[in-house]
Amino acid sequence: SADTVENVWLEPGSDFKTQKIKKLEVSPKYDRLPIGEKGIGRFGVHKLGNVIEMTTKSADSKEVFVKIDWTDFDNYKYLEDVPITIIERTVPTVFKDGKTGTNILIADLRKKWERGIAREVRRSITALASPFDVNDSFKPSFDVLDKQGWFDGLLNWKDVKDYSLFRFKITMSGNSITKFGYEFTPWPSMTKLTPREIPIDDPLIETFKVLKFSEGNNEGEIIDLAKYKIGTIIFEGYIFDQDSFVLKMGVTDKTGFKQYLKTNGGVKVFRDKLRVYDYGEPENDWLELDYRRFQQPAKKISNNIILSSISINRKESADLIEKTNREGFIVNDAYEAFRGAILHSLNIVETLRYSDKLKLREKYGPTPKSSPVMSTLGEAKRYVEEKVKETEVKTQIIKYFNKIEADY
């Protein structure tokens, strides 16, 4: 409505959303709590262009139109003097026939849009919704209508999903894992291997059911999510293998496949099925997966071989507080417990995957006859993993082996 536009949308730092969240007041149509709290995220749109036109209509209200032209601001000394006109239309021009919604037009763009930018924006926008959790009320899409071919060759989740070899889904609540499922899913071409499933009553899972910190000063301590407002955590994902002997058994577009995992891989967080940035972005290794992989290359999982999501409920997770810039949660005790629970579960998945990975290499890995250099390097790495005790020395030796392998 015009009142919301004037007193909320045009008012920086309004507590409009904060009050709704405190009262657990959800939206009438989709039963959602607001995203964000501080009311400053809307200013991101102004970085894209000088002219912003917004047309919006709520039920039983007139259509509202507001235009902001940042070039006008140069003509005035004080912000309060800049004229911002809000127009109410009795006869709607955009939302006709009883329709409601918001349309934002950005013009006089500050930067020239090119193919690379468009492809990156498309990746970011489609990643707002989890690929694992179907959300019928929120389906983001992005297109550039007059640029044919800009998105040619872009793989999507459906294209790569079936290339995974390991899958898992874990539910955590209180101080323990309440549901667990792990699958090893060899491709049809891998006839020498048998799929396997690990349920929650498996002895290994029973042993590690209680959540514990696996690193830091509190390593070994029990994690109790119930001490904080975090709620139930659902952690699920798909794990891939990028070794050349695996890829040649079924991946046709190897370059596209690797590029997709490089830009989309990692562990993303979703609250009420909507993305919490910037977890899972290429530059944010919030679980230090790549560092862990560097320490134990054979066993640990890196960001470019996992596609996974963590799902939490907005109403239950009040102690996970988003930063003002909307890039992740504030680091507090609740966040540390949340992160620790994820790493505990991931350790179990890595242990199970490692045994299946060994079977995969045993049946299809390089042999002295098919690839003598790669086979010898593999033997050398396994020897170092088993025999060298000094972690730093082991890490450096394997780093050199990996470099030789990549160069070869």
Side-chain angles (χ1 to χ4, degrees), residues 165-228:
L165 287 164
F166 318 92
R167 302 172 188 177
F168 65 91
K169 186 170 184 178
I170 304 165
T171 302
M172 292 162 273
S173 185
N175 67 354
S176 66
I177 292 170
T178 55
K179 293 180 183 177
F180 185 94
Y182 165 90
E183 293 178 66
F184 173 45
T185 54
W187 302 342
S189 58
M190 299 173 176
T191 53
K192 299 176 186 176
L193 294 168
T194 307
R196 74 162 177 156
E197 294 183 23
I198 303 294
I200 194 167
D201 55 3
D202 183 88
L204 178 72
I205 313 307
E206 288 285 352
T207 304
F208 294 101
K209 230 177 186 179
V210 176
L211 302 172
K212 292 182 180 180
F213 287 103
S214 57
E215 57 181 43
N217 297 329
N218 45 8
E219 184 177 346
E221 290 182 17
I222 292 176
I223 300 167
D224 188 1
L225 300 172
K227 283 175 62 178
Y228 313 98

Side-chain angles (χ1 to χ4, degrees), residues 318-379:
D319 283 347
L320 294 175
I321 305 162
E322 288 187 47
K323 296 176 184 176
T324 302
N325 65 2
R326 298 288 304 284
E327 292 187 357
F329 297 122
I330 291 171
V331 178
N332 55 19
D333 289 345
Y335 172 77
E336 294 294 357
F338 171 72
R339 185 177 179 274
I342 300 302
L343 286 172
H344 174 91
S345 299
L346 192 61
N347 275 326
I348 300 172
V349 173
E350 287 171 329
T351 301
L352 295 170
R353 168 187 167 267
Y354 183 58
S355 62
D356 289 324
K357 186 180 171 183
L358 290 178
K359 294 175 195 169
L360 181 63
R361 267 136 191 77
E362 181 187 326
K363 298 295 182 184
Y364 294 104
T367 65
K369 188 175 180 180
S370 69
S371 184
V373 175
M374 300 295 272
S375 176
T376 304
L377 277 170
E379 284 180 27

Side-chain angles (χ1 to χ4, degrees), residues 240-256:
F240 302 79
D241 198 309
Q242 291 201 34
D243 278 3
S244 56
F245 76 88
V246 173
L247 298 183
K248 72 181 182 183
M249 297 189 70
V251 180
T252 49
D253 181 7
K254 297 179 182 66
T255 303

Side-chain angles (χ1 to χ4, degrees), residues 205-330:
I205 313 307
E206 288 285 352
T207 304
F208 294 101
K209 230 177 186 179
V210 176
L211 302 172
K212 292 182 180 180
F213 287 103
S214 57
E215 57 181 43
N217 297 329
N218 45 8
E219 184 177 346
E221 290 182 17
I222 292 176
I223 300 167
D224 188 1
L225 300 172
K227 283 175 62 178
Y228 313 98
K229 291 178 182 176
I230 294 175
T232 300
I233 301 171
I234 299 175
F235 180 30
E236 60 184 309
Y238 291 68
I239 304 169
F240 302 79
D241 198 309
Q242 291 201 34
D243 278 3
S244 56
F245 76 88
V246 173
L247 298 183
K248 72 181 182 183
M249 297 189 70
V251 180
T252 49
D253 181 7
K254 297 179 182 66
T255 303
F257 172 70
K258 288 182 177 181
Q259 185 59 37
Y260 181 88
L261 289 178
K262 182 181 178 182
T263 54
N264 294 277
V267 182
K268 297 177 174 63
V269 178
F270 295 86
R271 184 141 67 169
D272 282 0
K273 302 182 182 180
L274 295 177
R275 180 92 181 269
V276 177
Y277 272 98
D278 62 339
Y279 300 119
E281 287 298 288
E283 64 277 3
N284 182 4
D285 186 9
W286 67 289
L287 293 171
E288 297 187 331
L289 299 191
D290 293 338
Y291 175 76
R292 292 164 76 253
R293 171 88 166 187
F294 178 72
Q295 297 292 90
Q296 290 181 274
K299 184 181 178 184
K300 299 299 183 183
I301 292 167
S302 55
N303 285 296
N304 68 336
I305 60 170
I306 184 171
L307 281 168
S308 68
S309 76
I310 297 164
S311 300
I312 52 177
N313 183 288
R314 188 76 171 84
K315 291 179 181 177
E316 297 175 352
S317 58
D319 283 347
L320 294 175
I321 305 162
E322 288 187 47
K323 296 176 184 176
T324 302
N325 65 2
R326 298 288 304 284
E327 292 187 357
F329 297 122
I330 291 171

Side-chain angles (χ1 to χ4, degrees), residues 375-391:
S375 176
T376 304
L377 277 170
E379 284 180 27
K381 283 199 281 188
R382 284 193 292 275
Y383 183 84
V384 170
E385 281 283 347
E386 293 169 7
K387 303 295 183 183
V388 179
K389 302 299 179 188
E390 177 60 46
T391 306

